[in-house]
Structures are given as structure tokens and as C-alpha cells.
């Protein structure tokens, strides 16, 4: 495996943005996912060429396999909050979701052995939801980090955080609403209507692969 790429639809740019987390500042856009990913490959080559030219260290390629320690959604939320300190509950839900979705897309394996449901406000893990049901903001001390993650898991979560961590819950909600796994699971339901169906892992795997 080379460098992992993570894409999302940017309403402000009216384009798909692809981020290459292992190469700081390496990004590309495109009218379609395919175009954005193709442009990202060009940017990767240019990034490496320029780094060699100026004598800059080139980061190692990403792990080709995920060494799983079987974390729960609570464990993943704890790792995210250890990095970000305090975020709103929509954001923690979406970041945990993207950890699962991108692991399925990149490594073709689950990160968390638990499901995500197609709630009106985007993908939600019920186990995690039950721990913050009455809160709007969750903080580092709410979720002590006690799980011992593998290095490949840490790097994967760091990639998700570097791609999405500067956003907010409302923006990440919009991202998931634009993406096929949540939309297809919701089907013909109207905005705000309640549902309780699991988002299929196969949908995540198909959509987020690159």
C-alpha cells in the first residue's frame, strides 16, 4: 500500500477534496471522486519530487494491514478526545464513524465490531450515543484513554483526525448526508424522520475505497 487518501465533498469549494494525511499539505480536488483521487496521485508525485529536491525527509508509506486490538466505539472516542480535548457530540460520533468507514474502505476490514445507524443527523453508534445522550459537548475527562491501540490503529485514527478534526459537528453532519452509505440506507425518508437501520459495512467498503 502507498499513501492513504481520504476524500469528502466540500460545499464551499463545490468539489470533492482529497487529503493525503501522511504528506502535510498534500491535497487535491475534482468534480468527481475519481477525478479528485486521480489529481491526488499527481500531487503525491509532485510532493515527493519537491521533497527530494530540497532534501526534505519523505514520510514512510502507510501500513498495508491493520493490526487490530479490537477496540470499542468508546475506546476510539477516548483516543479522539485525548487529541482534541473537547468537541460536540455530533462531531465525536462522525469521527468515530469515519474511523470505521475508512478502515473498511482502505483495509477491507472492520475497525470497530459494532454497527452505525442511519439517524436523522447522520451515522450514529448507539453504544457511544448512550454514554453522551444528555450532553452537547464531551471532553477528554469524560472518556479516559485506557485502551492500548496498535501503531497502525493510532496512525489510522490520526489520519481521520487530521482530515476532519478542524471541522465541526454541523459540517461533518453535512458530509455524511452527502455520502452514499447514509443516504442509501435512509432511502426515501424525509429530513428529520426517525429511522433505526444499520448502515451496511458493504456500503462503507464500496464507497470509501480508493
Amino acid at each position: 500500500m502507498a499513501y492513504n487518501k481520504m476524500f469528502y465533498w466540500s460545499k464551499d469549494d463545490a468539489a470533492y477534496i482529497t487529503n493525503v494525511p501522511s504528506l502535510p499539505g498534500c491535497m487535491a480536488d475534482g468534480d468527481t471522486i475519481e477525478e479528485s483521487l486521480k489529481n491526488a496521485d499527481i500531487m503525491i508525485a509532485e510532493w515527493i519530487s519537491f521533497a527530494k529536491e530540497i532534501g526534505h525527509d519523505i514520510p514512510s508509506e502507510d501500513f498495508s494491514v491493520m493490526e487490530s486490538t479490537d477496540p470499542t466505539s468508546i475506546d476510539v472516542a477516548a483516543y479522539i478526545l485525548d487529541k482534541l480535548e473537547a468537541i460536540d457530540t455530533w462531531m465525536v460520533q462522525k469521527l468515530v464513524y469515519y474511523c470505521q468507514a475508512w478502515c473498511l474502505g482502505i483495509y477491507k476490514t472492520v475497525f470497530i465490531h459494532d454497527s452505525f445507524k442511519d439517524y436523522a443527523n447522520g451515522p450514529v453508534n448507539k453504544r457511544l450515543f448512550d454514554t453522551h445522550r444528555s450532553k452537547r459537548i464531551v471532553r477528554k475527562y469524560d472518556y479516559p484513554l485506557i485502551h492500548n491501540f496498535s501503531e497502525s490503529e493510532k496512525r489510522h485514527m490520526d489520519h481521520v483526525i487530521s482530515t476532519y478534526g478542524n471541522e465541526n459537528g454541523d459540517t461533518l453532519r453535512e458530509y455524511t448526508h452527502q455520502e452514499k452509505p447514509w443516504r442509501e440506507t435512509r432511502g426515501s425518508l424525509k429530513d428529520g424522520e426517525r429511522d433505526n437501520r444499520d448502515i451496511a459495512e458493504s456500503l462503507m467498503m464500496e464507497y470509501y475505497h480508493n
Side-chain angles (χ1 to χ4, degrees):
M1 180 176 292
Y3 295 103
N4 292 343
K5 301 184 287 290
M6 296 181 178
F7 59 80
Y8 57 90
W9 171 257
S10 171
K11 184 177 180 181
D12 291 339
D13 297 297
Y16 285 97
I17 307 298
T18 294
N19 181 35
V20 187
S22 288
L23 306 180
C26 186
M27 304 178 72
D29 62 14
D31 292 334
T32 64
I33 293 171
E34 292 76 13
E35 181 182 6
S36 182
L37 291 170
K38 183 177 179 180
N39 289 340
D41 288 334
I42 296 171
M43 294 304 298
I44 289 171
E46 292 182 356
W47 196 103
I48 293 173
S49 177
F50 182 67
K52 288 179 178 178
E53 184 179 322
I54 64 175
H56 192 286
D57 289 338
I58 300 172
S60 59
E61 294 184 352
D62 291 308
F63 295 99
S64 60
V65 296
M66 178 69 72
E67 182 186 352
S68 177
T69 60
D70 200 21
T72 67
S73 57
I74 311 301
D75 295 326
V76 177
Y79 185 90
I80 291 167
L81 286 162
D82 189 66
K83 298 286 185 177
L84 299 181
E85 300 284 339
I87 54 179
D88 66 71
T89 55
W90 280 9
M91 185 168 180
V92 74
Q93 282 282 354
K94 303 308 174 278
L95 290 176
V96 174
Y97 167 75
Y98 279 125
C99 285
Q100 174 81 322
W102 280 110
C103 186
L104 283 161
I106 293 169
Y107 298 101
K108 304 297 184 271
T109 187
V110 298
F111 190 54
I112 306 162
H113 291 279
D114 203 352
S115 62
F116 289 79
K117 297 186 178 296
D118 63 339
Y119 281 20
N121 289 319
V124 167
N125 176 264
K126 182 64 164 53
R127 182 197 302 236
L128 179 59
F129 177 79
D130 287 341
T131 68
H132 63 65
R133 184 187 295 269
S134 60
K135 299 177 181 178
R136 179 56 179 166
I137 302 294
V138 287
R139 295 175 171 82
K140 180 176 178 178
Y141 60 73
D142 293 321
Y143 295 85
L145 179 57
I146 57 176
H147 187 80
N148 187 24
F149 289 98
S150 70
E151 289 305 310
S152 55
E153 288 174 328
K154 290 177 184 177
R155 189 169 182 180
H156 175 67
M157 290 184 289
D158 288 344
H159 283 183
V160 171
I161 292 168
S162 71
T163 298
Y164 299 104
N166 290 325
E167 307 290 358
N168 57 47
D170 289 320
T171 300
L172 296 188
R173 175 183 179 273
E174 284 190 31
Y175 287 175
T176 59
H177 279 206
Q178 294 293 326
E179 295 166 354
K180 181 179 178 180
W182 180 85
R183 288 192 295 106
E184 188 164 306
T185 306
R186 291 281 292 177
S188 61
L189 289 173
K190 298 178 181 177
D191 288 348
E193 280 191 284
R194 293 187 178 186
D195 196 13
N196 196 33
R197 285 184 289 177
D198 289 346
I199 300 174
E201 292 171 358
S202 59
L203 280 175
M204 297 185 219
M205 189 180 297
E206 174 191 7
Y207 182 79
Y208 296 102
H209 82 281
N210 57 69

